[in-house]
Amino acid sequence: MYRRALTWLLRQTVKLDVYINRIYPSDWNPLYYTGGLAHFFLFLLVLSGILLFFYYVASLDGAYASIRYLSEEVPYGFLLRGLHRYAADGFIVAVLLHLFRNWFTDRYLFARDGPWISGMFLLILGGFVGVNGYQLVWDQRAQAVTEIFVAILGAVPLAGATLVRLFLGSEGISAAMLPRILFLHVGVASFLYVLLWWHYVRLRHPKIWPPATWVLLLLGLLVLLSALPGTRPTAGVPAQPGVRVTAYPLDVFFLLPFWLASYLPPGVVGAGLAGLLLLGYLIPYLKREDESRMGPRHAGVAQVIDGNCTGCELCYYDCPYDAIVMVPSPHPGLTKAAASRKLLAVVIDSRCVECGICVGACPFQALELPRFLEADLMRRIAELVRARAPA
Amino acid sequence: MKVIGFVCDWAVSTEGLVDGRGELKAYPGVHIVRIPCSGFMRPDWLEQSLRAGADGAFVTGCPYGDCLNREGNYLMRDRMEQLARRLQRRRVDPGRVAMFAHGLHDQQAFLAEVGAFLRRLESLPQPAARPVRPAVGAAAGEAAE
Ligand code: HEM
Ligand code: SF4
Ligand code: SF4
């Protein structure tokens, strides 16, 4: 069932590419750069966030006024605020696209679970930072979001009350809250970069930047959205703790769980969310295919043939997953070319995704995929050609 | 016409395109060999295919930008350029090897490109390549007999 659904999703995802590639040259397909797009938006968020920080006042009576002042009195302040708002939406959309695309196109197989697990942490903390951002404004929406979030936290078995206290700084909404949230917003956002280091550590040359055309186009779009009267972020109604908030504009990208909370008990929403995220962590381990039937897709971890390796480092440069390290050669190789080598290639099994790119890189026949041997392939080619040879 | 087509297992689907012997129905004589990634190809294998007696050989990877292994098809494209220069030095027409990039559903585009490749091969002078030294595979094949 899972297998069939994923196969269907894979086919649809790749079909979408067929249409997109008719419009752009395939190197530009934005879906090939979802990680880079997420990173681009994150970069914009940090830049605009630093500038916002100069104006923001983290107090219950000052917060709303400071943001209103920024967007109405400061020249181009509305632009700054709009950029931060819409880049955040772009970020979460790009991250979700990235997640689904990597999932549907099998980019979690074998040793790719490192980027996947770090990616799940990025998703959770990125979402958390986004929700925090809406709280900082301290308008009615912020108040509603805070109340729902606190209700969800409070529904956590055993630890609930403690978590709420930690989050708010006291039993209820008080002056201690906004400085805390500001710290969480900025601190966790900075921590995303630590996670990104983990995310990239096994990817050689990660494509962290989309093509320039996309960067310019998106920047233009964000500026338009922030500046046009219809879409520019407006001042809501200031928060009034104690007064029930009945209606507030919903941000579909971050606040969907909060919308659900107006229909379901907070405990259920929280449990549902936690369950979904837990499933997310399991995805790399719920393999969809029977490994014995994967054929060339599961050719085994690359093996170095010690005697042939000359220490030329070509495989080391080409492995896209940084799975090959060069170590000082403990003994000379067997072939003439390898006799005076200084280095020896070693494959780190736990990082290898069985792609065989190192095999193609090695001019000295010193690498093999154990279930797809060169000798077998050459024999097969010879047979194929001979079978067709004119009598 | 004998052609070996090395096709990445994640790239264009050949379901329904090949017959029982692994040849393309539309172009008999074109054998499809599934490989783990286009970047897995040691360029030498294309030359070996020619020396073993094939008229041409090609590699097919995923569309550029969509390699499952991130960079396999770009790396292969670079290696093909180096191979072309090497073939020229050895008096083998580099027109006999080619690299294509087609995604899972691009069957029609893939067939069209193979067709164009075959027409190009037909226009090239014979023979394709002399077996200057015994091809590795051929020797291994003979030993097995
Ligand atoms: C802050 C959010 C994120 C950013 C900025 C980001 C960025 C990137 C970048 C730049 C790459 C390298 C792409 C390449 O060069 O091939 C990448 C790879 C990857 N990402 Fe993310 N990512 C984020 C979140 C996530 C999430 C939420 C997931 C899924 C749970 C995820 C899963 C992956 C996987 C599996 C790869 C490896 C793909 C491969 O091996 O081809 N990422 N990410
Ligand atoms: S490419 Fe081959 S010879 Fe060179 S270091 Fe790697 S395994 Fe050794
Ligand atoms: S097969 Fe080779 S290139 Fe691919 S991940 Fe493993 S060591 Fe790296």
Side-chain angles (χ1 to χ4, degrees):
Chain A
M1 178 65 192
Y2 176 62
R3 185 183 307 174
R4 276 237 296 281
L6 264 193
T7 306
W8 185 81
L9 285 166
L10 167 72
R11 298 190 80 90
Q12 298 313 312
T13 312
V14 183
K15 206 174 242 166
L16 186 64
D17 287 343
V18 175
Y19 298 117
I20 295 180
N21 288 345
R22 279 193 199 140
I23 311 176
Y24 317 99
S26 73
D27 312 28
W28 280 15
N29 182 334
L31 292 180
Y32 294 169
Y33 287 91
T34 47
L37 287 172
H39 180 260
F40 160 73
F41 285 122
L42 187 60
F43 180 74
L44 270 188
L45 282 169
V46 171
L47 274 192
S48 52
I50 290 173
L51 294 176
L52 286 174
F53 189 77
F54 294 139
Y55 291 96
Y56 184 70
V57 178
S59 72
L60 287 184
D61 351 293
Y64 178 81
S66 71
I67 285 175
R68 186 150 195 172
Y69 172 74
L70 171 77
S71 42
E72 288 173 8
E73 308 292 329
V74 177
Y76 299 108
F78 63 90
L79 206 63
L80 196 57
R81 185 172 172 212
L83 273 180
H84 201 69
R85 164 75 58 87
Y86 286 111
D89 288 341
F91 172 75
I92 208 79
V93 171
V95 170
L96 288 176
L97 276 177
H98 183 61
L99 183 151
F100 285 117
R101 193 181 166 83
N102 280 329
W103 181 14
F104 298 161
T105 57
D106 286 348
R107 282 175 166 81
Y108 53 85
L109 288 178
F110 309 127
R112 294 179 190 85
D113 56 350
W116 185 272
I117 298 298
S118 52
M120 282 306 297
F121 281 111
L122 280 165
L123 174 70
I124 292 176
L125 293 185
F128 180 70
V129 172
V131 171
N132 275 181
Y134 279 109
Q135 285 177 285
L136 286 176
V137 185
W138 206 232
D139 54 5
Q140 290 213 324
R141 167 163 54 193
Q143 190 188 334
V145 165
T146 308
E147 280 160 8
I148 297 169
F149 190 73
V150 164
I152 292 178
L153 267 190
V156 174
L158 301 179
T162 321
L163 285 177
V164 170
R165 232 195 111 81
L166 277 177
F167 184 67
L168 292 180
S170 66
E171 293 307 332
I173 288 168
S174 75
M177 185 186 77
L178 282 180
R180 233 161 237 261
I181 291 185
L182 180 62
F183 175 77
L184 282 177
H185 189 68
V186 177
V188 177
S190 313
F191 185 65
L192 289 185
Y193 278 86
V194 178
L195 287 175
L196 276 179
W197 168 79
W198 175 14
H199 201 59
Y200 299 155
V201 70
R202 288 190 195 162
L203 304 176
R204 191 174 261 282
H205 316 305
K207 287 183 286 194
I208 58 171
W209 213 243
T213 322
W214 279 110
V215 170
L216 291 176
L217 250 165
L218 287 171
L219 260 180
L221 183 68
L222 291 182
V223 168
L224 270 183
L225 283 172
S226 326
L228 288 179
T231 49
R232 134 188 340 190
T234 48
V237 183
Q240 282 173 295
V243 180
R244 226 181 97 79
V245 181
T246 46
Y248 57 90
L250 184 82
D251 178 299
V252 285
F253 301 114
F254 281 102
L255 303 182
L256 212 57
F258 294 82
W259 171 73
L260 280 179
S262 41
Y263 299 98
L264 297 169
V268 174
V269 175
L273 211 56
L276 266 186
L277 293 173
L278 199 70
L279 276 182
Y281 279 102
L282 289 179
I283 282 173
Y285 311 105
L286 301 169
K287 293 274 158 66
R288 75 146 111 147
E289 247 164 317
D290 181 357
E291 298 209 339
S292 62
R293 293 201 326 196
M294 287 182 77
R297 297 178 182 214
H298 190 22
V301 167
Q303 309 283 318
V304 178
I305 298 161
D306 186 322
N308 289 358
C309 175
T310 64
C312 69
E313 300 187 71
L314 288 174
C315 56
Y316 164 72
Y317 286 117
D318 278 1
C319 172
Y321 292 89
D322 261 344
I324 293 184
V325 289
M326 302 301 302
V327 299
S329 171
H331 45 250
L334 293 177
T335 60
K336 220 166 114 199
S340 56
R341 71 177 177 206
K342 300 267 185 316
L343 297 171
L344 172 67
V346 172
V347 176
I348 304 177
D349 290 6
S350 62
R351 298 187 181 180
C352 175
V353 305
E354 315 184 3
C355 63
I357 286 173
C358 52
V359 177
C362 178
F364 301 99
Q365 304 183 301
L367 277 156
E368 289 270 29
L369 292 182
R371 291 200 280 282
F372 213 100
L373 298 178
E374 169 169 15
D376 294 338
L377 187 64
M378 289 297 113
R379 191 175 307 128
R380 182 148 160 232
I381 289 166
E383 275 162 14
L384 287 177
V385 173
R386 211 155 348 136
R388 269 258 149 190
Chain B
M1 207 46 84
K2 285 160 288 171
V3 172
I4 311 281
F6 298 92
V7 181
C8 162
D9 209 34
W10 307 88
V12 61
S13 156
T14 46
E15 231 183 285
L17 297 188
V18 291
D19 63 17
R21 284 179 306 176
E23 297 185 23
L24 283 183
K25 285 182 199 154
Y27 303 108
V30 178
H31 303 271
I32 298 300
V33 176
R34 286 273 169 185
I35 52 175
C37 175
S38 59
F40 165 72
M41 279 300 287
R42 195 172 278 160
D44 192 45
W45 296 340
L46 294 169
E47 188 179 344
Q48 298 287 3
S49 308
L50 298 184
R51 300 228 181 264
D55 296 287
F58 64 85
V59 188
T60 304
C62 299
Y64 294 108
D66 194 31
C67 176
L68 175 90
N69 303 305
R70 307 188 47 240
E71 308 197 314
N73 49 7
Y74 286 118
L75 288 166
M76 194 58 207
R77 189 162 68 174
D78 294 351
R79 292 176 196 158
M80 291 295 286
E81 275 171 31
Q82 297 165 7
L83 175 69
R85 288 200 292 275
R86 201 158 67 224
L87 288 179
Q88 233 153 10
R89 283 202 297 278
R90 300 193 191 163
R91 309 244 163 78
V92 178
D93 198 322
R96 293 191 177 275
V97 296
M99 166 133 189
F100 311 140
H102 294 290
L104 193 64
H105 299 285
D106 295 337
Q107 294 191 326
Q108 290 316 313
F110 169 70
L111 283 183
E113 207 159 3
V114 172
F117 180 60
L118 291 176
R119 281 193 294 283
R120 182 168 91 197
L121 289 181
E122 261 156 22
S123 69
L124 294 178
Q126 292 288 339
R130 287 171 210 291
V132 276
R133 53 189 161 115
V136 174
E142 250 112 57
E145 276 166 19

